Amino acid sequence: MRELDRIASESTLERCAIVGAGRLGHALAAALRDAGLEVEGPLGRGARPEAPVVLLTVPDGEIRAAAEATPAQLIGHCSGATTLEVFGDREGFSLHPLMTVTEGGASFAGAGCAVAGTSDRALELARGLAQALQMTAVEVTDEDRAAYHAAASIAANLLVTLEGAAERLAATAGVPRELLVPLARAALENWAANGAEQALTGPVARGDEATIARQREAIEQRAPDLLEAFDALVTASRVLAAS
């Protein structure tokens, strides 16, 4: 039985290639090898791997060209924002780990993973890869891709921006970032356990408008560029508190 036929029937894979030698490519290659797969790469852009399945970890703007240059029977990409349209008429899938990858690598076990496929076979392969990496797969269609990726960006990227704003403002009062960390962790863990409505605390949740006004005045004086964001977040928090 050909390897690709076995993939279709068993949703398993023994050999694949990764094209894209950045952080994600290296992290996925290491994790897949640890899962028992034979991995070719990560290879540089323009490589022509021999494996029947190729996973692209190149930048979003290069996915289409990389897919067109890849002779593999099944091609996948790891972009959160890119749809399956980049594969044209070819069979392909997407596998986007809901996990930040740093220079030190990443642990994918326990993370979520958005998957999609142009065929049942491609989708099942994506699910199989997610399972091999010990991730929880959820199918996200092309029409939901932008909303999904925006949610991921808010949960990770914009959260860091928000904590950066807190760090800046705390510094004006002589409070180091390290002292904010337990507070931020507790809030995140409370949200994870109970959801946003139950996790919201502080002056907005209490309806303490006098305290909010004093906070706003301090921000206007010490970090005026943050005032618009503060106002928007207070407004959103009021909506949450009233729900």
Side-chain angles (χ1 to χ4, degrees):
M1 179 183 291
R2 290 188 311 139
E3 185 173 14
L4 200 59
D5 293 332
R6 183 176 56 74
I7 290 167
S9 62
E10 300 179 9
S11 298
T12 59
L13 177 66
E14 292 182 353
R15 184 167 61 97
C16 69
I18 294 178
V19 174
R23 292 180 182 178
L24 181 57
H26 281 281
L28 282 174
L32 288 171
R33 287 190 179 103
D34 287 343
L37 277 70
E38 180 183 343
V39 180
E40 187 181 348
L43 306 171
R45 301 167 203 171
R48 296 179 64 83
E50 298 178 357
V53 175
V54 171
L55 195 56
L56 303 175
T57 59
V58 299
D60 289 13
E62 299 179 17
I63 292 175
R64 185 186 300 274
E68 291 173 350
T70 300
Q73 300 172 65
L74 268 174
I75 310 170
H77 71 65
C78 294
S79 168
T82 304
T83 68
L84 299 175
E85 183 271 336
V86 291
F87 296 128
D89 295 331
R90 297 181 65 184
E91 196 171 14
F93 63 93
S94 63
L95 178 87
H96 179 249
L98 271 168
M99 177 53 61
T100 297
V101 180
T102 67
E103 291 183 358
S107 175
F108 299 104
C113 182
V115 298
T118 62
S119 66
D120 290 342
R121 175 172 64 173
L123 178 60
E124 286 307 306
L125 175 60
R127 290 187 184 278
L129 285 170
Q131 183 177 12
L133 293 165
Q134 301 181 55
M135 295 189 293
T136 300
V138 57
E139 185 176 0
V140 178
T141 64
D142 279 2
E143 60 199 46
D144 292 328
R145 179 68 57 167
Y148 154 77
H149 198 243
S153 294
I154 292 170
N157 312 137
L158 300 189
L159 177 61
V160 172
T161 302
L162 182 61
E163 296 299 348
E167 178 183 353
R168 280 180 53 200
L169 194 61
T172 70
V175 177
R177 179 184 71 246
E178 291 77 10
L179 296 185
L180 295 176
V181 172
L183 175 66
R185 283 178 175 158
L188 189 60
E189 290 172 359
N190 194 14
W191 166 73
N194 302 304
E197 293 180 15
Q198 297 299 317
L200 185 65
T201 61
V204 174
R206 298 193 302 267
D208 187 350
E209 294 298 328
T211 295
I212 294 170
R214 288 196 296 272
Q215 291 177 340
R216 190 180 190 280
E217 182 178 357
I219 292 172
E220 188 173 24
Q221 293 174 353
R222 300 186 180 202
D225 59 301
L226 299 178
L227 191 59
E228 184 177 356
F230 176 80
D231 287 343
L233 288 167
V234 166
T235 298
S237 297
R238 288 190 178 112
V239 172
L240 179 61
S243 61

